[in-house]
Amino acid sequence: MSAVSMAGALNRALADSLADDPSVLVFGEDVGALGGVFRVTDGLAARFGEQRVFDTPLAESGIVGTAIGMAMNGLRPVVEMQFDAFAYPAFEQITSHLAKLRNRTRGRVSLPVVIRVPYGGGIGGVEHHCDSSEAYYTHTPGLRVVTPGTPDDAYRLLRDSIASPDPVIFLEPKRRYWAKGSLSTSGDPIGFDRALVRRAGRDVTLIAYGPMVVTALETAEAAAEEGWDVEVVDLRSLSPFDDETVCASVRRTGRAVVVHEASGFGGYGAEVVARVTERCFHHLHAPVLRVTGFDIPYPPPKLEEHHLPSVDRILDAIARLQWDDEVVGSYGA
Amino acid sequence: MARTRAPERTLLPSDEPLSLLRKDGSPVDDSPLAMPDDDVLVELYRRMVVGRRFDTQATSLTKQGRLAVYPSSRGQEACEVGSVLALRPTDWLFPTYRDSVALVTRGVDPAETLTLLQGGWHLGYDPYEHRVGPQCTPLATNTLHAVGFAHAARLKGEDTAALVFVGDGATSEGDTHEALNFAGVWKAPVVFLVQNNGYAISVPMSKQNAAPSLAHKGIGYGVPSVLVDGNDVAAVYAVVREAVLSGGPTLIEALTYRIEAHTNADDATRYRTSDEVAAWLDRDPVDRLETYLTSRGLLDNARRAAITAEAEEFAASVRSKMNVDVEPSPDDLFEHVYASMPRHLREQATALREELA
């Protein structure tokens, strides 16, 4: 067990996967000598050679499209999209081919491709560098979409993603790249399609993922001072969705708030709310609420603090969940 | 071991398309291309005759409602057959939706070739069995798959080239350009064969391209480029063979023409004249080779009759295979979305089964 940043944990996961499996390749823009603009691939080209870790021409559709061909020919490409919005030129390759080829070929073609996408805001980035693009990918059957909230999860999820026979969109919360945490490279596998209860609580479930996991945990601490015992569930896997873990939590607490940075309208949180409502309706003491970014294009750096869900905004949502008690009295515990 | 590119290969295509046979079937005396061996020429003829009969049979099946749609490649047999026969067994083919004749030439069962168009499933054949990628409907996206596949072969130390088909319209798509650039930088063993049949559905070349030829588009990417008469199967075979053996990338533009409309849903009389079609019928790839083979004494009436009979037999087998109602199982909907079925799909499959019970 050692303290490491999320970027460091990801680097370790890439290095360990490259060392374990000669079919693993890492490529993209600036991932070689530079080590990636966030240094996630730092030192890998020097250690594993240009045949396995290399820079490509600057063309995202080309990176994903050639990764598909390489995977068809038995390799396991791990590609970097550098920034969220820069992945959009590759959207057709991702949705029309990467996600569908197993199904189109009735299982004959397997595409073990991992697409690493540094996503989300909070780093003072300019436009096109801060999108939360998860809803586009989770709406596409055939893709796995995962996002870590801690360095330890970053390591485990990336290892699992590279080993997966299915294509994975691996969303890296870039505002958490430098936050340190413990890392255990051994231990029991959790499974990269499982959500985790990060903090146990009785009164309300905060459902968060990626960059919002830390914010949700901070909110839980603040809420405790106001008398709310908050449970925090980290989704980890956005698709497939682990409704067992999530619904078990909501049935215990009877209240839930879903938090994400992306715009709310048509967003991933709407899916979570719908599922929780469908499956936990008789256990709910109040409507399931969302705290999300506004329905606007990602704002400029000097305004982003107003857009991003904050501890205060999440606390306000938790406070609104008392509405039901006032009207119909207290349920459950 | 992979071969390196021959030093004499140039980026600039010729002003006139390379050819070996004139449209009247007489040989070109001063062609820079080597005429394929006699047995190869006879085989090219046989496969073109069978391929054409398959194509007309598939068109008939559309009229009978057996196929949802069929994009004919009638008139393009020299491209379909010449390029596929130029491949080595270890090479791969990345076809488009119009390339069913290429697939049957590669040995894919005709019923499996037509599964996509029949609506039974998205793909009927095993890509690894025949070394044929899935037929691609989005334009030009398969060029990148071919480059990646060929580059992986190079990384693995395998001597495998990838032949990818695109149409003239697909050369306007960004993926064609990204693929040419990647192939040029990586020196990947990929052959891009542009079957320029004059129209992207109804849009003519004049509205598609401003370069002297589509082959010229290779120059900027450092990819050697060839302009070839796409109705001259001997020439197509020769240039594709050379490109495959070069060990590096090549862009080939084959000038050809589709005699039928884009598909059965298209009315080609709206955008082209009967005079134009007649001029291209006069350059028919099958007739041209037949004239040449006959003049050389490589094809007599008995051999011609035997090949015609083989083509009829092939068409009959296609008919009998396709005159069977396909009833895919609704359970298939949920298979192969992921390597193993996630819980939510198991639940949806159960719900559908109960609904149908």
Side-chain angles (χ1 to χ4, degrees):
Chain A
M1 194 77 84
S2 57
V4 66
S5 68
M6 186 182 280
L10 293 165
N11 180 272
R12 189 112 144 236
L14 292 170
D16 289 353
S17 295
L18 283 159
D20 287 354
D21 183 351
S23 66
V24 173
L25 301 177
V26 172
F27 57 94
E29 296 155 17
D30 306 302
V31 301
L34 183 66
V37 292
F38 294 105
R39 305 292 181 268
V40 172
T41 57
D42 192 26
L44 298 178
R47 180 171 163 197
F48 295 99
E50 279 193 20
Q51 298 276 303
R52 299 191 60 204
V53 180
F54 51 90
D55 290 323
T56 63
L58 199 167
E60 288 78 10
S61 186
I63 292 168
V64 176
T66 54
I68 289 169
M70 290 185 212
M72 280 184 74
N73 201 355
L75 300 180
R76 301 183 92 86
V78 183
V79 303
E80 180 174 302
M81 288 285 103
Q82 200 158 88
F83 285 95
D84 33 64
F86 296 177
Y88 301 151
F91 198 66
E92 186 191 16
Q93 288 290 349
I94 294 170
T95 53
S96 290
H97 299 297
L98 186 66
K100 290 180 181 164
L101 261 169
R102 174 184 296 280
N103 188 247
R104 279 167 71 197
T105 62
R106 313 195 75 187
R108 287 151 173 158
V109 171
S110 186
L111 294 181
V113 175
V114 177
I115 301 183
R116 294 181 37 242
V117 185
Y119 83 120
I123 63 162
V126 295
E127 60 173 350
H128 310 303
H129 290 68
C130 300
D131 281 20
S132 294
S133 42
E134 61 268 29
Y136 302 129
Y137 303 117
T138 55
H139 191 63
T140 304
L143 300 177
R144 288 182 177 274
V145 183
V146 301
T147 178
T150 66
D152 193 50
D153 250 18
Y155 179 85
R156 288 166 178 269
L157 287 177
L158 187 50
R159 291 281 276 162
D160 285 353
S161 298
I162 294 169
S164 166
D166 294 313
V168 180
I169 306 296
F170 192 89
L171 299 171
E172 300 175 1
K174 64 173 89 78
R175 64 194 283 195
R176 306 294 181 202
Y177 268 142
W178 305 281
K180 290 204 170 183
S182 62
L183 173 65
S184 165
T185 56
S186 56
D188 294 334
I190 305 160
F192 79 137
D193 50 2
R194 303 298 292 179
L196 274 185
V197 176
R198 290 267 173 216
R199 181 189 197 279
R202 281 182 302 115
D203 299 334
V204 57
T205 301
L206 271 187
I207 302 166
Y209 55 86
M212 281 293 121
V213 171
V214 171
T215 308
L217 291 168
E218 288 168 4
T219 304
E221 293 303 316
E225 293 168 17
E226 296 180 26
W228 287 90
D229 188 11
V230 174
E231 181 149 306
V232 176
V233 175
D234 175 359
L235 288 181
R236 304 169 82 247
S237 172
L238 307 186
S239 178
F241 175 75
D242 175 12
D243 39 21
E244 269 183 358
T245 304
V246 172
C247 292
S249 172
V250 176
R251 285 183 192 124
R252 279 195 299 273
T253 62
R255 295 177 177 81
V257 178
V258 186
V259 187
H260 62 59
E261 280 188 26
S263 303
F265 189 85
Y268 186 75
E271 177 63 37
V272 176
V273 172
R275 278 175 180 258
V276 168
T277 306
E278 285 165 3
R279 292 177 185 240
C280 308
F281 185 70
H282 295 292
H283 299 266
L284 288 173
H285 303 165
V288 183
L289 299 182
R290 285 179 292 168
V291 179
T292 71
F294 297 122
D295 296 329
I296 55 171
Y298 195 85
K302 289 182 178 175
L303 288 170
E304 70 177 345
E305 64 173 308
H306 302 299
H307 175 69
L308 296 169
S310 61
V311 169
D312 283 349
R313 202 172 282 167
I314 303 168
L315 282 174
D316 286 348
I318 291 172
R320 284 173 58 206
L321 293 173
Q322 295 179 82
W323 162 84
D324 188 64
D325 293 345
E326 289 165 6
V327 175
V328 293
S330 180
Y331 286 80
Chain B
M1 191 170 146
R3 292 160 207 247
T4 51
R5 204 167 68 207
E8 69 271 18
R9 300 188 83 214
T10 61
L11 300 181
L12 197 65
S14 53
D15 292 336
E16 293 298 318
L18 297 179
S19 63
L20 280 162
L21 297 174
R22 296 193 182 88
K23 71 173 187 177
D24 65 359
S26 61
V28 176
D29 297 330
D30 54 351
S31 175
L33 304 173
M35 184 68 84
D37 293 343
D38 291 350
D39 55 340
V40 171
L41 289 170
V42 174
E43 181 66 0
L44 289 166
Y45 174 75
R46 183 176 81 87
R47 298 299 195 109
M48 284 202 296
V49 171
V50 172
R52 172 165 296 183
R53 186 64 189 87
F54 166 80
D55 193 84
T56 54
Q57 183 59 61
T59 298
S60 301
L61 287 166
T62 312
K63 290 171 183 160
Q64 294 159 16
R66 284 287 172 191
L67 297 181
V69 66
Y70 181 73
S72 169
S73 61
R74 185 181 170 90
Q76 300 181 213
E77 291 87 353
C79 298
E80 298 275 300
V81 171
S83 60
V84 167
L85 288 190
L87 295 178
R88 301 163 300 180
T90 53
D91 295 327
W92 271 68
L93 170 67
F94 289 83
T96 75
Y97 55 86
R98 195 179 297 287
D99 302 314
S100 298
V101 169
L103 265 65
V104 297
T105 304
R106 186 71 172 164
V108 179
D109 183 286
E112 293 181 352
T113 297
L114 296 174
T115 304
L116 167 74
L117 305 165
Q118 186 184 29
W121 200 249
H122 301 311
L123 186 80
Y125 56 93
D126 181 348
Y128 293 98
E129 183 186 349
H130 303 284
R131 294 177 179 255
V132 177
Q135 276 179 288
C136 203
T137 311
L139 298 181
T141 51
N142 58 340
T143 56
L144 287 163
H145 305 167
V147 173
F149 196 97
H151 187 58
R154 174 71 62 73
L155 291 172
K156 292 161 72 179
E158 296 166 356
D159 189 9
T160 298
L163 168 67
V164 57
F165 288 152
V166 287
D168 41 285
T171 65
S172 299
E173 293 275 5
D175 277 354
T176 298
H177 299 270
E178 294 195 14
L180 283 165
N181 190 44
F182 273 67
V185 171
W186 287 346
K187 300 195 172 18
V190 181
V191 183
F192 299 84
L193 181 70
V194 182
Q195 296 185 61
N196 178 358
N197 64 21
Y199 295 87
I201 303 188
S202 67
V203 179
M205 270 301 291
S206 59
K207 292 183 178 174
Q208 198 73 242
N209 168 60
S213 76
L214 295 176
H216 275 78
K217 294 182 190 293
I219 299 169
Y221 302 108
V223 173
S225 305
V226 180
L227 181 63
V228 67
D229 182 338
N231 280 22
D232 177 351
V233 72
V236 171
Y237 177 92
V239 297
V240 173
R241 188 79 180 169
E242 187 186 333
V244 163
L245 296 178
S246 75
T250 308
L251 171 62
I252 298 170
E253 177 187 1
L255 290 170
T256 186
Y257 198 79
R258 70 169 144 77
I259 299 301
E260 303 290 341
H262 169 64
T263 68
N264 48 300
D266 167 38
D267 177 7
T269 62
R270 282 171 172 259
Y271 54 85
R272 61 189 200 187
T273 65
S274 55
D275 285 353
E276 181 181 297
V277 178
W280 278 94
L281 282 168
D282 193 38
R283 303 176 59 180
D284 186 82
V286 183
D287 293 350
R288 189 186 306 195
L289 182 60
E290 184 173 325
T291 304
Y292 175 73
L293 291 177
T294 305
S295 74
R296 291 271 321 279
L298 296 168
L299 191 67
D300 59 16
N301 287 340
R303 182 77 181 118
R304 193 182 295 114
I307 291 171
T308 305
E310 184 194 342
E312 284 305 321
E313 203 173 303
F314 193 82
S317 84
V318 173
R319 274 198 304 278
S320 68
K321 283 177 176 171
M322 301 309 289
N323 279 330
V324 176
D325 290 328
V326 177
E327 290 181 29
S329 165
D331 280 342
D332 292 352
L333 289 170
F334 306 96
E335 292 289 340
H336 309 303
V337 181
Y338 297 91
S340 58
M341 201 183 293
R343 206 171 71 122
H344 71 283
L345 290 185
R346 287 202 304 274
E347 289 171 0
Q348 290 171 24
T350 302
L352 180 60
R353 262 196 303 274
E354 286 169 359
E355 187 183 315
L356 295 172

